[in-house]
Amino acid sequence: MRERFDIVIVGAGFAGLYMLHRARKLGLAARVFEAGSGVGGTWYWNRYPGARCDVESMEYSYQFDDALQQEWRWSERFATQPEIMRYANHVADRFELRKDIRFNTRVVAATYDEAAKRWTVRTGDGAETSAQFVVMATGCLSSTNLPDIKGLESFAGARYHTGEWPHEDVDFTGRRVGVIGTGSSAIQSIPILAERARTLTVFQRTANYTVPARNAPLDPDFVARIKADYPAFRARNSLQINAFGSNMPRSAIPARELSPEERRTALEARWRYGGLFFLGAFGDLLLDPAANDEAAEFVREKIRGIVRNPEVARLLSPRQIIGCKRLCVDTDYYATFNRPNVRLVDISETGIDEVTPRGVRVNGTSHELDALVFATGFDAMTGTLLRIDIRGRDGRTLEDAWRAGPRTYLGLSVAGFPNLFLVTGPGSPSVLTNMIVSIE
Ligand SMILES: Cc1cc2nc3c(=O)[nH]c(=O)nc-3n(C[C@H](O)[C@H](O)[C@H](O)COP(=O)(O)OP(=O)(O)OC[C@H]3O[C@@H](n4cnc5c(N)ncnc54)[C@H](O)[C@@H]3O)c2cc1C
């Protein structure tokens, strides 16, 4: 028998949980399908060592319920993955969300029936559910990306992806570990993996800019000040261009109006403060090439100051525009390359020849490994949606509708797919913002 609901929500990350809560408030009968066995989405899947939020804890949380934001206590300036998972579970319990969520259930298809004006949603177990509305709360970074490297399947050691990390602890003690990729997940995990592994070999195609987090336990006085008027703090953050960071807002002054000493002082202050605020040192840091070059060179100078081997420092120094790719935030990333058990292998020119049963071969040199960590990111924005067979009016597939690139109305809906809604997909503010704010 086909179950009927007003609304089907796909995904139980922060978007799906909030959508369910709102749907109930609107009096809609709702069903959520979630592929994982629990809530939390990103934070359910990304359990790699060092996984952590880059937006400050007091801001990376829901604001729809003042009692919720008053009672929850974050312990650190930047919350760890386990703490964010505890928060997501707390929200699910507090608002009794679980009873409407079917876990371990992947949606494989959604088909629009023009005559009935309803959607039929099919799940991996073959069951069909009928709903007037479908909300794809499927996330923008929820389908992992595994590069197509020759010989990948032949590797005899253990293989991990940061975005599908095992639920139990992985013991790297005494093991020779390789990491492929140097994006945000790698930058967060490499310092910790280096402490645990016998050796750590990092395969780098593109160096990325990263700035220190300066993470620390949260100061109770700071928390008390925010909680004394949390709505006002939220309102100040919502006026920031990325919906966070009113404590250290972007400077309004363009670099060219500052003396060289003043520019230096501004960059130093942001570097010392820690976090993504670095990009706010000048009003025109993301607009004026000269201002951008100066900030980029400042980071390269820091790298040269931290990394003792000049050749390794050179390889770790990015050349691209700073802030074009999302800036990364780290704890001891560059210093990790001073450890005797850590090695950087540049694959920018040659790529990887192949993965062999015993390790990874680059430019004819074999690197023997017991474990291989893929920090190779996601099939971002469209990947998860296109894995579902979505058919709108006249049987047209979403894949066909997006053949020339994803087109949406405000990132929320797609012409020809009535009553199908997106939350954090293409066209949404996504990771350019504090995503919980954008989701709400
Ligand atoms: C490592 C990492 C760090 C991040 N750090 C930050 C940060 O510092 N600040 C920030 O704002 N954002 C950050 N993000 C972005 C993060 O994804 C969002 O903040 C937020 O968690 C997205 O919530 P969501 O509900 O939209 O998607 P997700 O959390 O991705 O949840 C989507 C859910 O949908 C489920 N799903 C997908 N397809 C199906 C299907 N076909 N059937 C059933 N279920 C399905 C998935 O299993 C998943 O649980 C980070 C992301 C990653 C990966």
Side-chain angles (χ1 to χ4, degrees):
M1 203 189 72
R2 190 181 281 188
E3 279 194 288
R4 283 173 70 91
F5 293 92
D6 297 319
I7 178 169
V8 158
I9 299 159
V10 189
F14 284 121
L17 292 177
Y18 181 58
M19 190 65 242
L20 172 57
H21 178 70
R22 284 299 300 265
R24 283 183 184 167
K25 293 244 172 223
L26 293 167
L28 300 174
R31 160 75 76 238
V32 178
F33 292 114
E34 166 55 56
S37 65
V39 300
T42 286
W43 308 100
Y44 169 92
W45 295 105
N46 290 264
R47 296 169 189 243
Y48 59 84
R52 192 185 281 283
C53 198
D54 290 342
V55 169
E56 295 194 12
S57 309
M58 296 304 291
E59 304 183 43
Y60 189 78
S61 53
Y62 290 121
Q63 53 190 290
F64 67 84
D65 186 289
D66 196 47
L68 169 68
Q69 65 182 2
Q70 288 294 337
E71 78 201 6
W72 184 260
R73 289 187 192 174
W74 296 105
S75 66
E76 294 175 74
R77 181 181 179 198
F78 296 103
T80 59
Q81 173 272 332
E83 192 165 37
I84 302 173
M85 270 290 281
R86 283 199 292 281
Y87 174 72
N89 278 287
H90 171 75
V91 171
D93 292 337
R94 195 183 194 288
F95 297 97
E96 296 178 6
L97 299 176
R98 266 177 243 280
K99 60 178 187 255
D100 292 325
I101 306 175
R102 289 285 169 276
F103 292 106
N104 303 304
T105 308
R106 183 169 288 281
V107 167
V108 294
T111 311
Y112 186 63
D113 178 345
E114 182 78 65
K117 300 206 168 359
R118 292 180 72 83
W119 286 87
T120 301
V121 173
R122 187 151 45 82
T123 46
D125 54 8
E128 290 188 337
T129 305
S130 168
Q132 183 181 357
F133 304 105
V134 174
V135 174
M136 292 292 174
T138 42
C140 52
L141 303 173
S142 51
S143 292
T144 55
N145 184 39
L146 197 62
D148 185 17
I149 302 174
K150 189 177 156 202
L152 197 61
E153 297 303 326
S154 73
F155 184 60
R159 215 172 78 186
Y160 307 94
H161 192 293
T162 49
E164 287 172 0
W165 201 262
H167 287 203
E168 56 286 347
D169 255 359
V170 181
D171 185 8
F172 288 112
T173 317
R175 293 162 87 187
R176 299 165 302 175
V177 180
V179 176
I180 297 183
T182 48
S184 182
S185 303
I187 283 171
Q188 289 188 335
S189 57
I190 280 169
I192 295 171
L193 293 174
E195 282 173 8
R196 299 183 183 169
R198 170 143 70 100
T199 62
L200 188 75
T201 308
V202 178
F203 299 93
Q204 175 186 273
R205 183 173 64 183
T206 311
N208 276 301
Y209 293 99
T210 174
V211 294
R214 313 275 183 218
N215 186 42
L218 267 177
D219 171 8
D221 290 341
F222 170 74
V223 173
R225 274 200 308 279
I226 289 176
K227 287 195 173 179
D229 194 354
Y230 223 140
F233 179 62
R234 300 290 196 181
R236 285 195 298 278
N237 286 323
S238 70
L239 294 177
Q240 303 300 309
I241 194 164
N242 307 100
F244 68 91
S246 62
N247 283 331
M248 181 55 115
R250 185 182 298 260
S251 164
I253 306 170
R256 63 176 174 279
E257 288 181 16
L258 300 171
S259 69
E261 294 72 31
E262 287 170 329
R263 292 201 293 272
R264 179 86 203 174
T265 304
L267 291 167
E268 276 292 354
R270 301 263 167 171
W271 181 266
R272 270 201 308 278
Y273 189 76
L276 298 165
F277 311 99
F278 183 79
L279 295 177
F282 312 132
D284 56 355
L285 193 148
L286 295 172
L287 300 172
D288 180 349
N292 194 275
D293 280 349
E294 186 159 342
E297 184 51 31
F298 177 88
V299 175
R300 288 190 288 266
E301 193 188 307
K302 292 288 180 193
I303 298 170
R304 290 193 291 273
I306 298 168
V307 180
R308 288 195 288 270
N309 181 321
E311 176 57 10
V312 176
R314 188 186 68 79
L315 289 173
L316 286 170
S317 297
R319 296 280 145 202
Q320 62 271 23
I321 294 168
I322 185 166
C324 184
K325 277 184 159 189
R326 186 182 163 289
L327 185 64
C328 299
V329 178
D330 72 275
T331 299
D332 298 333
Y333 178 68
Y334 293 122
T336 298
F337 291 89
N338 291 331
R339 294 176 64 103
N341 68 330
V342 176
R343 177 152 186 217
L344 183 68
V345 177
D346 174 29
I347 58 169
S348 60
E349 300 284 321
T350 59
I352 287 173
D353 302 345
E354 65 174 333
V355 175
T356 67
R358 295 159 68 94
V360 171
R361 195 155 52 74
V362 174
N363 208 12
T365 304
S366 289
H367 302 272
E368 297 214 347
L369 302 168
D370 307 310
L372 200 44
V373 174
F374 286 88
T376 44
F378 302 91
D379 186 354
M381 307 308 294
T382 51
T384 306
L385 291 163
L386 293 178
R387 268 160 227 217
I388 305 171
D389 182 8
I390 300 173
R391 290 168 193 259
R393 259 193 194 124
D394 305 322
R396 190 176 190 202
T397 63
L398 186 65
E399 189 167 14
D400 187 45
W402 283 357
R403 204 161 287 287
R407 292 187 62 180
T408 67
Y409 175 66
L410 301 177
L412 294 172
S413 56
V414 185
F417 298 78
N419 288 341
L420 177 98
F421 297 97
L422 317 175
V423 185
T424 59
S428 75
S430 179
V431 290
L432 294 176
T433 58
N434 175 355
M435 281 191 68
I436 300 199
V437 174
S438 307
I439 283 166
E440 280 188 58

